[in-house]
PDB file of all heavy atoms in Angstrom:
ATOM      1  N   PRO I 215      15.084  -4.895  -1.334  1.00  0.00           N
ATOM      2  CA  PRO I 215      16.061  -5.943  -1.632  1.00  0.00           C
ATOM      3  C   PRO I 215      16.714  -5.722  -2.997  1.00  0.00           C
ATOM      4  O   PRO I 215      16.037  -5.444  -3.989  1.00  0.00           O
ATOM      5  CB  PRO I 215      15.217  -7.224  -1.618  1.00  0.00           C
ATOM      6  CG  PRO I 215      14.053  -6.896  -0.728  1.00  0.00           C
ATOM      7  CD  PRO I 215      13.759  -5.447  -0.966  1.00  0.00           C
ATOM      8  N   ALA I 216      18.028  -5.820  -3.033  1.00  0.00           N
ATOM      9  CA  ALA I 216      18.822  -5.692  -4.266  1.00  0.00           C
ATOM     10  C   ALA I 216      18.769  -4.297  -4.878  1.00  0.00           C
ATOM     11  O   ALA I 216      19.103  -4.118  -6.055  1.00  0.00           O
ATOM     12  CB  ALA I 216      18.387  -6.736  -5.303  1.00  0.00           C
ATOM     13  N   GLU I 217      18.346  -3.287  -4.100  1.00  0.00           N
ATOM     14  CA  GLU I 217      18.234  -1.921  -4.633  1.00  0.00           C
ATOM     15  C   GLU I 217      19.209  -0.947  -3.984  1.00  0.00           C
ATOM     16  O   GLU I 217      19.150   0.255  -4.251  1.00  0.00           O
ATOM     17  CB  GLU I 217      16.809  -1.398  -4.457  1.00  0.00           C
ATOM     18  CG  GLU I 217      15.761  -2.138  -5.268  1.00  0.00           C
ATOM     19  CD  GLU I 217      14.341  -1.661  -5.003  1.00  0.00           C
ATOM     20  OE1 GLU I 217      14.110  -0.984  -3.969  1.00  0.00           O
ATOM     21  OE2 GLU I 217      13.454  -1.973  -5.817  1.00  0.00           O
ATOM     22  N   GLU I 218      20.114  -1.425  -3.134  1.00  0.00           N
ATOM     23  CA  GLU I 218      21.005  -0.503  -2.413  1.00  0.00           C
ATOM     24  C   GLU I 218      21.915   0.266  -3.370  1.00  0.00           C
ATOM     25  O   GLU I 218      22.169   1.456  -3.166  1.00  0.00           O
ATOM     26  CB  GLU I 218      21.831  -1.264  -1.385  1.00  0.00           C
ATOM     27  CG  GLU I 218      22.631  -0.339  -0.475  1.00  0.00           C
ATOM     28  CD  GLU I 218      23.255  -1.053   0.704  1.00  0.00           C
ATOM     29  OE1 GLU I 218      23.096  -2.287   0.825  1.00  0.00           O
ATOM     30  OE2 GLU I 218      23.909  -0.374   1.524  1.00  0.00           O
ATOM     31  N   ALA I 219      22.410  -0.401  -4.409  1.00  0.00           N
ATOM     32  CA  ALA I 219      23.267   0.287  -5.377  1.00  0.00           C
ATOM     33  C   ALA I 219      22.503   1.407  -6.079  1.00  0.00           C
ATOM     34  O   ALA I 219      23.051   2.493  -6.331  1.00  0.00           O
ATOM     35  CB  ALA I 219      23.816  -0.709  -6.400  1.00  0.00           C
ATOM     36  N   LEU I 220      21.232   1.167  -6.395  1.00  0.00           N
ATOM     37  CA  LEU I 220      20.393   2.202  -7.007  1.00  0.00           C
ATOM     38  C   LEU I 220      20.226   3.375  -6.049  1.00  0.00           C
ATOM     39  O   LEU I 220      20.338   4.545  -6.455  1.00  0.00           O
ATOM     40  CB  LEU I 220      19.022   1.616  -7.363  1.00  0.00           C
ATOM     41  CG  LEU I 220      17.954   2.602  -7.847  1.00  0.00           C
ATOM     42  CD1 LEU I 220      18.387   3.299  -9.125  1.00  0.00           C
ATOM     43  CD2 LEU I 220      16.619   1.878  -8.063  1.00  0.00           C
ATOM     44  N   ALA I 221      19.967   3.083  -4.776  1.00  0.00           N
ATOM     45  CA  ALA I 221      19.816   4.152  -3.786  1.00  0.00           C
ATOM     46  C   ALA I 221      21.097   4.968  -3.656  1.00  0.00           C
ATOM     47  O   ALA I 221      21.053   6.204  -3.553  1.00  0.00           O
ATOM     48  CB  ALA I 221      19.430   3.560  -2.436  1.00  0.00           C
ATOM     49  N   GLN I 222      22.223   4.293  -3.667  1.00  0.00           N
ATOM     50  CA  GLN I 222      23.499   5.005  -3.573  1.00  0.00           C
ATOM     51  C   GLN I 222      23.721   5.899  -4.787  1.00  0.00           C
ATOM     52  O   GLN I 222      24.215   7.028  -4.664  1.00  0.00           O
ATOM     53  CB  GLN I 222      24.647   4.002  -3.445  1.00  0.00           C
ATOM     54  CG  GLN I 222      26.012   4.659  -3.243  1.00  0.00           C
ATOM     55  CD  GLN I 222      26.060   5.508  -1.987  1.00  0.00           C
ATOM     56  OE1 GLN I 222      25.960   4.981  -0.870  1.00  0.00           O
ATOM     57  NE2 GLN I 222      26.218   6.821  -2.132  1.00  0.00           N
ATOM     58  N   HIS I 223      23.335   5.413  -5.964  1.00  0.00           N
ATOM     59  CA  HIS I 223      23.482   6.206  -7.192  1.00  0.00           C
ATOM     60  C   HIS I 223      22.636   7.472  -7.127  1.00  0.00           C
ATOM     61  O   HIS I 223      23.121   8.576  -7.438  1.00  0.00           O
ATOM     62  CB  HIS I 223      23.090   5.352  -8.391  1.00  0.00           C
ATOM     63  CG  HIS I 223      23.239   6.044  -9.719  1.00  0.00           C
ATOM     64  ND1 HIS I 223      24.285   6.893 -10.020  1.00  0.00           N
ATOM     65  CD2 HIS I 223      22.451   6.004 -10.837  1.00  0.00           C
ATOM     66  CE1 HIS I 223      24.143   7.346 -11.252  1.00  0.00           C
ATOM     67  NE2 HIS I 223      23.040   6.830 -11.767  1.00  0.00           N
ATOM     68  N   VAL I 224      21.381   7.335  -6.711  1.00  0.00           N
ATOM     69  CA  VAL I 224      20.509   8.510  -6.601  1.00  0.00           C
ATOM     70  C   VAL I 224      21.060   9.480  -5.567  1.00  0.00           C
ATOM     71  O   VAL I 224      21.071  10.708  -5.777  1.00  0.00           O
ATOM     72  CB  VAL I 224      19.071   8.079  -6.240  1.00  0.00           C
ATOM     73  CG1 VAL I 224      18.202   9.294  -5.927  1.00  0.00           C
ATOM     74  CG2 VAL I 224      18.456   7.277  -7.379  1.00  0.00           C
ATOM     75  N   THR I 225      21.541   8.973  -4.445  1.00  0.00           N
ATOM     76  CA  THR I 225      22.117   9.831  -3.397  1.00  0.00           C
ATOM     77  C   THR I 225      23.302  10.616  -3.938  1.00  0.00           C
ATOM     78  O   THR I 225      23.436  11.828  -3.691  1.00  0.00           O
ATOM     79  CB  THR I 225      22.554   8.972  -2.198  1.00  0.00           C
ATOM     80  OG1 THR I 225      21.427   8.250  -1.708  1.00  0.00           O
ATOM     81  CG2 THR I 225      23.121   9.836  -1.081  1.00  0.00           C
ATOM     82  N   THR I 226      24.172   9.952  -4.682  1.00  0.00           N
ATOM     83  CA  THR I 226      25.339  10.634  -5.257  1.00  0.00           C
ATOM     84  C   THR I 226      24.918  11.727  -6.227  1.00  0.00           C
ATOM     85  O   THR I 226      25.483  12.837  -6.220  1.00  0.00           O
ATOM     86  CB  THR I 226      26.244   9.610  -5.977  1.00  0.00           C
ATOM     87  OG1 THR I 226      26.696   8.636  -5.035  1.00  0.00           O
ATOM     88  CG2 THR I 226      27.444  10.297  -6.608  1.00  0.00           C
ATOM     89  N   LEU I 227      23.914  11.449  -7.055  1.00  0.00           N
ATOM     90  CA  LEU I 227      23.429  12.465  -7.995  1.00  0.00           C
ATOM     91  C   LEU I 227      22.892  13.696  -7.264  1.00  0.00           C
ATOM     92  O   LEU I 227      23.085  14.837  -7.714  1.00  0.00           O
ATOM     93  CB  LEU I 227      22.333  11.871  -8.876  1.00  0.00           C
ATOM     94  CG  LEU I 227      22.769  10.818  -9.908  1.00  0.00           C
ATOM     95  CD1 LEU I 227      21.555  10.210 -10.593  1.00  0.00           C
ATOM     96  CD2 LEU I 227      23.710  11.427 -10.951  1.00  0.00           C
TER      97      LEU I 227
END
Side-chain angles (χ1 to χ4, degrees):
E217 294 176 343
E218 188 170 1
L220 172 61
Q222 184 60 66
H223 182 39
V224 172
T225 302
T226 299
L227 290 174

